[in-house]
Amino acid sequence: MSDPPSSDPGSEGPKRRSRFEPLPPWVGPSTAVVHGGRRPDYNAGSVVPPIYQTSTFHWPADRSESSDRAEAYLYSRVRNPTVEVPTEVIRALEGGEDARLFGSGMGAITASVLSLLRSGDSVVALAGLYGGTTDFLTDHLPRFGVTVREVSDDAARDPVASVPPGTALVIVESPTNPLLRVHDLAQWAEAAHRAGALLLVDNTFATPINQNPLALGADLVVHSATKYLGGHSDLIAGAVVGSASLIQRIDAKSYLGAPLDPFAAFLLARGLKTLALRVARQNENGRRVAGAVRAHPAVARVHYPGWGSGEEEAVAARQMRGRGGMLSISLNGGAPAAERLLSSLRLVHPAASLGGVESLASVPRKTSHRHFTSEQLGERGIDEGLVRFSLGIEEPEDLVRDFTEALDRVTSP
Ligand SMILES: Cc1ncc(COP(=O)(O)O)c(C=O)c1O
């Protein structure tokens, strides 16, 4: 691992947060998402953050970036007042010292990984990561002399044995994608640190409302903010949150990952205000639908956080405040049954992605894991009849009815 740069005139450091009105320490997440991005200096005193749709800012010849860091904006790739609003809200929700937003979740992940590693390093990655993350790690990192070791869900029960000494970075997702297996993040943090590695957790599925990996010992949290944080399937964004020194290493000069644009940042700030409300309903919808479909004759198995084993249930109860709105169903009838289910659902849209207000269904072999070989799919238990669902904020009864009727159609002749 390379050392952090000692001083860098292109970086802003945590000082940027001083622009925001501090919230009392006793507020809960529903309050923090509404008031967390408030600034006293918005144009004309507007309550809603204005969109600073500008690439550049007034910068007289006598201004120096290092002396005016907390006050001045130079260029929107480096820093933009609209982008700072959701950055601050997400930082506070995850409990990190600093955060950076990017133009996509993959932007956040690639910028983090590429900034932290050097040739000769080795990475340990859970096999149940988002397909794009696995693809990036295994396709690109070997070209830079970085080795990647994948750990299956079963092997991941023993984090100490999974992380050899000298590992530089460990990447974990819990619940996993798309089988919703639960891994003990505190144990993974301990194992990573014992081996001398940093632990990066993708918290997209759980959301900071249900789980805070930094509080469990992780060093960095990443999000596809495209999903629950934005919440309306209308933007692409990514986030990384951690200590000020790690964030500085990741985004010292804003060259990697590509920044979030001001309009998408405005939409993200707007979406974040209802995050806690949305996730509460999505937690309920996940629980209700998972329970309702479990015994249906078309269903071979329901994958839902905590249902993998008694041990997983105990870990989920310990580290999650809610189980989230994601579940997957393995159907008895394989690919034809999956096709029939998708075309029979009346409310649930067949579409990739997740975390929006509308329920979505996708076949991972055709969407999130479409770049995988049959061997990789088989190793991960992603069978032909597997359908992944992201439940929205609809009425629980309506979703239960839609699922039950559509599953009945799968089994009817
Ligand atoms: C868990 C997870 N992480 C990361 C990503 C990548 O995010 P984005 O699509 O915003 O680049 C995704 C996208 O589906 C995801 O599901």
Side-chain angles (χ1 to χ4, degrees), residues 21-33:
E21 287 179 7
L23 289 177
W26 38 262
V27 301
S30 297
T31 309
V33 289

Side-chain angles (χ1 to χ4, degrees), residues 230-312:
H232 295 75
S233 307
D234 56 6
L235 61 91
I236 300 277
V240 58
V241 187
S243 66
S245 62
L246 282 177
I247 297 299
Q248 165 128 346
R249 277 170 74 181
I250 290 168
D251 197 37
K253 292 183 181 167
S254 313
Y255 292 151
L256 293 175
L260 188 63
D261 83 281
F263 185 62
F266 170 82
L267 288 176
L268 178 56
R270 178 182 157 122
L272 277 165
K273 290 187 184 179
T274 54
L275 178 69
L277 288 176
R278 285 184 282 109
V279 170
R281 172 58 73 89
Q282 284 157 325
N283 287 342
E284 183 187 354
N285 281 345
R287 192 172 44 78
R288 291 282 295 274
V289 171
V293 301
R294 201 173 194 179
H296 195 283
V299 172
R301 183 157 179 201
V302 175
H303 308 273
Y304 178 72
W307 286 12
S309 67
E311 190 193 331
E312 285 184 44

